[in-house]
Amino acid sequence: MENITKNFKYVDYLWDEAKAASFGDNQVELFLYRSNILGADLRITNYGGGNTSCKTIEKDPLTNEDVEVMWVKGSGGDIGTLTRSGIAGLYTGRLRDLKNVYQGLHDEDRMVGLFNHCIYDLDSKAPSIDTPLHGLLPFAHIDHLHPDALIAVAAAKDSEKVTKEIWGDTMGWVPWQKPGFDLGLQLEKCLADNPGIRGIVLGSHGLFTWGDTSYECYMNSLEVIEMASEYIEKKLKEQGEVFGGQKVESLPKEARLEKAAQLMPLLRGLCSSENRMIGHFSDTEVVMEYINSNDLERLAPMGTSCPDHFLRTKIQPLVLELDKNEDLSDSAAILKKLEPAFEAYRQEYADYYNTCKKDNSPAIRDANPVIIIYPGVGMFSFAKNKQTTRVASEFYINAINVMRGAEAITEYTSLPRQEAFDIEYWLLEEAKLQRMPKEKPLSRKVALVTGAGGGIGKAIADKLAAEGANVVLTDINEEALKEANGTYARDVSTYAICDVTSVDSIASAYKKAVLEFGGVDIVVHSAGLAISKPLEDTTDKDWNILQNILVKGQFDLAKQFAAIARQQGLGGNYIAIASKNGLVAGPNNVAYGTAKAAQQHMVRLLAAELAKDKVRVNTVNPDGVIVGSKIWEGAWAEGRAKANGITVEELPAFYAKRNLLHEIITPDDIANGVFSLVGILDKSTGNIINVDGGMANAFVR
């Protein structure tokens, strides 16, 4: 490529020459490297969006002859995280031979099945619908991307004319068409009609660019995107205002977060009328500029244009008619205001489905909105898990950028509803959904665990996360929380400093949980400490700290959780981590044993009161959890050893020998007890599960 500059203003130049050189002449590794750095810039393509490829000469394993093989991102992958296992390797010649059997647009779905007859690499990921778009073009390296700036051009009125104005004769243009084999033929024809072009704009869809090497392809993609971005920014400056100017003024940041935290459990409950959902909130500058604008009322119902956008966001958002200064403290009153809007949205979606469906269309899917807009406050999204809802939010922000650019260029245009439906309810898209792995038992649920900076609390959080839950770790030790939170993958966890003796601190932790995930379904009160002293040595301070952390803390956590659970209307689980000592009388234990007994009886009282809200309340009683438990550090262990006439070092063996099974009890065992109550025993409440290896004097009955 001639005259390519590395000084890009609107995209990030991320090519590392030393890193690239480490791959030598391995074109597949260079293609994967290019893919990853392209996917690292959300202005270029979002999670799961676009696809990339390269072509190499390989030995045919049957003939030993040289053959051309195309390596391309497989179905459902993400270029930003693409690895060797996520690509498909196909004989390019065989793929092109499919032109001989293609029968027209009605034949598209059959053609996807035929891609498997073109497989070269037997470890290939399933080829995507875009495979022929790469295979029918002759270039060694190809990028198909969804940059905001390019989709703005593609979705603008007079898109073909605008394309020529920006790039002259160096770029081709093809009108909107559903991805498939015929679109590949259209790209092939566009190139034949316009030899020497550097790329093709796909109407309402995205961009194809290419190069002889991975680096040239990368630079070509960046420069084409940069030129579109510069053009749009020039138009925006000429226009002077965006989206018709501001209609609503944003609330201050803290006020927006407070409103969002108050509203999210209600929205989550409404969005979960068919399936429980996880939430996400965004109030970035880009979002606020759009949702506060005069043009929101016109643009939002039009829907998104790029298929990757509306497949994740639904065709259009729900715009709330609540005033930004609405008093949200009366949940019942706000719910009455919100319900008609949700009912109308669901009905409109059903009408869209019934109007556009075909004889072989899949059944209607969840009709609830994915994107919800609250002018002056922010944008909410709700989907099956945190990653999906975060990505939906990111995709709608991409759509905002597209609308912004298209409106600056000429005028934004969206896909006709029938075209959108044909993508959303495509049988191939349905097949992809059916291939998704089965959800885990606690998928779509949010768990808040106290004392989760280590020990039993962390083990419980680990177990709940492993079973599919999002976890909110709370503790008074921030360093321990940071370390614990760092053990989870993205979109699984968050943490909040929480002193359970403070009502305000508990409220702050719940607010963090609600803003991060939309609500709370499971609360496990594992925070605690243990004090073992004879009666005469037990002080008021000892008594009060145990009562405040174990008993009052449990009460305040339960009270605030019950309010959130009622807002959501989805039921829930509250688990108290108590102790065998709440059931068994022993020496040197009056303050601790009394507090644990109070926890156990409070569980029974809460179970009786919260049953009407489908909130189940249960107790897990550990005993003798010495290895890995925080409370067995220091004075408590010394006190228990003294009470039993042994040394601290002898405690694990001593406690194992005294239970019926002679087993050492670990934090993981307690975590399994919690999971049994929240993930399996879905009709149990007011119960105690002893996880102690069998202590006859602690038998409940």
Side-chain angles (χ1 to χ4, degrees):
M1 303 295 299
E2 297 293 333
N3 301 320
I4 292 180
T5 176
K6 297 179 184 179
N7 298 318
F8 297 106
K9 180 179 179 181
Y10 300 102
V11 291
D12 294 331
Y13 174 83
L14 299 176
W15 190 277
D16 184 322
E17 292 184 6
K19 177 86 171 180
S22 71
F23 300 124
D25 193 41
N26 189 323
Q27 296 303 308
V28 174
E29 289 297 328
L30 285 165
F31 137 66
L32 290 171
Y33 174 62
R34 180 180 88 246
S35 304
N36 293 163
I37 59 177
L38 285 170
D41 188 343
L42 293 182
R43 293 166 297 183
I44 289 175
T45 202
N46 213 314
Y47 181 86
N51 37 68
T52 47
S53 69
C54 77
K55 299 181 182 75
T56 62
I57 301 299
E58 308 289 344
K59 288 289 184 185
D60 189 310
L62 299 181
T63 67
N64 206 36
E65 295 177 355
D66 288 342
V67 292
E68 187 179 74
V69 173
M70 181 179 75
W71 307 90
V72 62
K73 188 196 89 169
S75 177
D78 166 52
I79 65 172
T81 55
L82 192 62
T83 63
R84 186 69 173 72
S85 64
I87 63 177
L90 302 96
Y91 289 96
T92 311
R94 291 187 187 179
L95 192 62
R96 291 170 180 161
D97 285 342
L98 293 180
K99 290 192 287 186
N100 299 324
V101 298
Y102 179 57
Q103 298 174 14
L105 291 173
H106 68 279
D107 202 27
E108 291 285 5
D109 290 9
R110 183 179 74 93
M111 297 304 289
V112 175
L114 294 180
F115 296 166
N116 292 323
H117 291 281
C118 306
I119 292 292
Y120 165 84
D121 178 19
L122 298 183
D123 292 327
S124 287
K125 186 82 170 176
S128 79
I129 190 67
D130 285 331
T131 298
L133 281 66
H134 293 259
L136 299 184
L137 292 173
F139 306 103
H141 292 267
I142 299 174
D143 293 334
H144 169 38
L145 304 170
H146 297 146
D148 294 347
L150 259 296
I151 303 177
V153 172
K157 184 179 179 182
D158 301 322
S159 172
E160 184 175 11
K161 179 182 176 183
V162 173
T163 298
K164 194 163 186 71
E165 185 177 339
I166 299 172
W167 294 284
D169 294 331
T170 67
M171 288 287 287
W173 183 91
V174 297
W176 159 259
Q177 185 170 314
K178 191 168 76 169
F181 201 85
D182 193 73
L183 183 55
L185 294 174
Q186 298 306 316
L187 296 185
E188 185 182 49
K189 182 178 184 300
C190 181
L191 179 63
D193 293 344
N194 302 276
I197 56 176
R198 66 191 299 180
I200 300 172
V201 174
L202 282 63
S204 295
H205 187 159
L207 170 71
F208 262 81
T209 40
W210 46 73
D212 293 333
T213 68
S214 194
Y215 179 73
E216 287 186 8
C217 184
Y218 177 72
M219 293 301 290
N220 187 26
S221 297
L222 262 57
E223 188 170 51
V224 167
I225 298 166
E226 186 78 1
M227 291 172 72
S229 301
E230 287 177 346
Y231 179 84
I232 290 169
E233 286 306 305
K234 179 183 175 184
K235 290 288 187 181
L236 285 167
K237 287 178 182 177
E238 291 173 358
Q239 199 172 82
E241 64 179 12
V242 179
F243 296 133
Q246 187 182 70
K247 180 180 179 180
V248 178
E249 185 178 350
S250 293
L251 290 173
K253 178 71 174 180
E254 284 306 312
R256 298 201 300 269
L257 293 178
E258 186 61 36
K259 291 281 187 185
Q262 287 179 288
L263 194 61
M264 282 189 85
L266 290 172
L267 295 178
R268 186 182 185 219
L270 289 164
C271 284
S272 301
S273 63
E274 294 185 38
N275 299 286
R276 191 183 301 255
M277 298 295 178
I278 299 295
H280 182 79
F281 176 71
S282 177
D283 62 347
T284 63
E285 185 177 341
V286 171
V287 168
M288 301 311 293
E289 179 184 64
Y290 170 69
I291 71 172
N292 292 340
S293 72
N294 283 297
D295 285 346
L296 174 68
E297 188 176 351
R298 173 175 63 88
L299 292 171
M302 291 177 68
T304 54
S305 58
C306 178
D308 269 37
H309 293 177
F310 65 71
L311 280 173
R312 291 166 172 83
T313 66
K314 277 202 166 66
I315 191 64
Q316 69 186 66
L318 169 61
V319 180
L320 301 180
E321 295 184 1
L322 291 176
D323 185 272
K324 67 178 184 181
N325 294 310
E326 187 91 35
D327 181 1
L328 303 180
S329 60
D330 187 341
S331 296
I334 296 301
L335 189 61
K336 286 184 178 180
K337 287 189 175 185
L338 293 174
E339 284 174 333
F342 276 80
E343 289 169 5
Y345 186 97
R346 295 177 194 126
Q347 185 57 55
E348 187 174 346
Y349 186 82
D351 292 344
Y352 154 73
Y353 175 85
N354 291 324
T355 300
C356 299
K357 70 177 180 179
K358 300 176 181 178
D359 291 342
N360 62 346
S361 293
I364 188 171
R365 301 191 187 112
D366 194 322
N368 284 294
V370 174
I371 303 294
I372 301 171
I373 289 169
Y374 187 176
V377 176
M379 182 176 78
F380 308 87
S381 58
F382 288 90
K384 66 178 181 179
N385 56 44
K386 181 62 179 182
Q387 182 193 63
T388 305
T389 190
R390 173 181 57 79
V391 168
S393 178
E394 290 172 0
F395 266 103
Y396 198 78
I397 291 172
N398 285 120
I400 291 171
N401 290 332
V402 167
M403 288 185 269
R404 183 178 187 267
E407 287 283 299
I409 294 169
T410 52
E411 182 182 327
Y412 174 69
T413 62
S414 59
L415 282 181
R417 286 298 195 260
Q418 187 64 57
E419 292 288 340
F421 179 89
D422 290 346
I423 292 286
E424 185 178 356
Y425 281 90
W426 198 353
L427 290 176
L428 294 176
E429 193 65 36
E430 177 69 13
K432 186 190 296 185
L433 293 175
Q434 295 302 322
R435 290 197 300 269
M436 297 292 286
K438 183 181 178 182
E439 293 188 33
K440 294 180 178 179
L442 299 182
S443 176
R444 302 172 181 260
K445 293 187 177 180
V446 181
L448 184 144
V449 183
T450 67
I456 291 174
K458 177 60 164 60
I460 291 168
D462 286 348
K463 177 63 177 179
L464 300 183
E467 297 294 345
N470 287 113
V471 291
V472 182
L473 314 176
T474 76
D475 204 295
I476 57 172
N477 185 332
E478 185 172 12
E479 288 305 312
L481 279 174
K482 287 181 178 178
E483 183 178 347
N485 191 55
T487 64
Y488 300 104
R490 185 181 184 185
D491 296 319
V492 171
S493 68
T494 190
Y495 73 87
I497 301 170
C498 181
D499 176 358
V500 297
T501 68
S502 164
V503 172
D504 290 341
S505 185
I506 291 171
S508 179
Y510 277 126
K511 180 178 178 180
K512 180 75 176 287
V514 166
L515 285 172
E516 190 71 25
F517 299 118
V520 182
D521 304 290
I522 299 166
V523 175
V524 183
H525 182 33
S526 180
L529 80 164
I531 298 173
S532 175
K533 293 181 180 179
L535 175 63
E536 61 270 21
D537 295 335
T538 302
T539 66
D540 285 351
K541 182 179 179 181
D542 295 332
W543 178 270
N544 289 336
I545 194 170
L546 287 167
Q547 289 291 320
N548 285 336
I549 292 174
L550 301 179
V551 186
K552 185 176 181 296
Q554 178 170 303
F555 165 76
D556 288 330
L557 279 162
K559 184 176 181 179
Q560 293 189 39
F561 173 51
I564 293 172
R566 285 169 183 146
Q567 286 180 302
Q568 296 173 142
L570 301 172
N573 278 278
Y574 189 100
I575 305 292
I577 304 301
S579 170
K580 175 266 299 181
N581 289 286
L583 297 172
V584 177
N588 304 341
N589 201 25
V590 62
Y592 182 74
T594 301
K596 287 298 180 180
Q599 281 189 278
Q600 291 163 354
H601 191 55
M602 190 192 302
V603 162
R604 291 186 280 264
L605 296 168
L606 291 171
E609 184 168 347
L610 299 181
K612 65 181 183 299
D613 301 305
K614 298 297 182 183
V615 174
R616 298 186 296 109
V617 191
N618 291 287
T619 300
V620 172
N621 279 344
D623 182 58
V625 185
I626 300 172
V627 180
S629 174
K630 290 192 294 182
I631 70 168
W632 285 88
E633 299 169 0
W636 172 259
E638 293 170 3
R640 290 291 86 199
K642 182 178 179 181
N644 289 287
I646 58 175
T647 66
V648 170
E649 291 72 24
E650 293 173 310
L651 280 171
F654 172 81
Y655 274 89
K657 287 179 181 177
R658 71 179 193 165
N659 67 57
L660 296 175
L661 298 176
H662 292 177
E663 295 283 357
I664 293 176
I665 311 302
T666 70
D668 289 342
D669 297 319
I670 311 309
N672 288 335
V674 171
F675 172 68
S676 71
L677 287 166
V678 301
I680 301 173
L681 303 175
D682 58 359
K683 295 180 181 177
S684 292
T685 192
N687 288 323
I688 291 175
I689 290 184
N690 289 335
V691 184
D692 56 12
M695 298 291 292
N697 57 352
F699 287 173
V700 180
R701 291 186 176 90

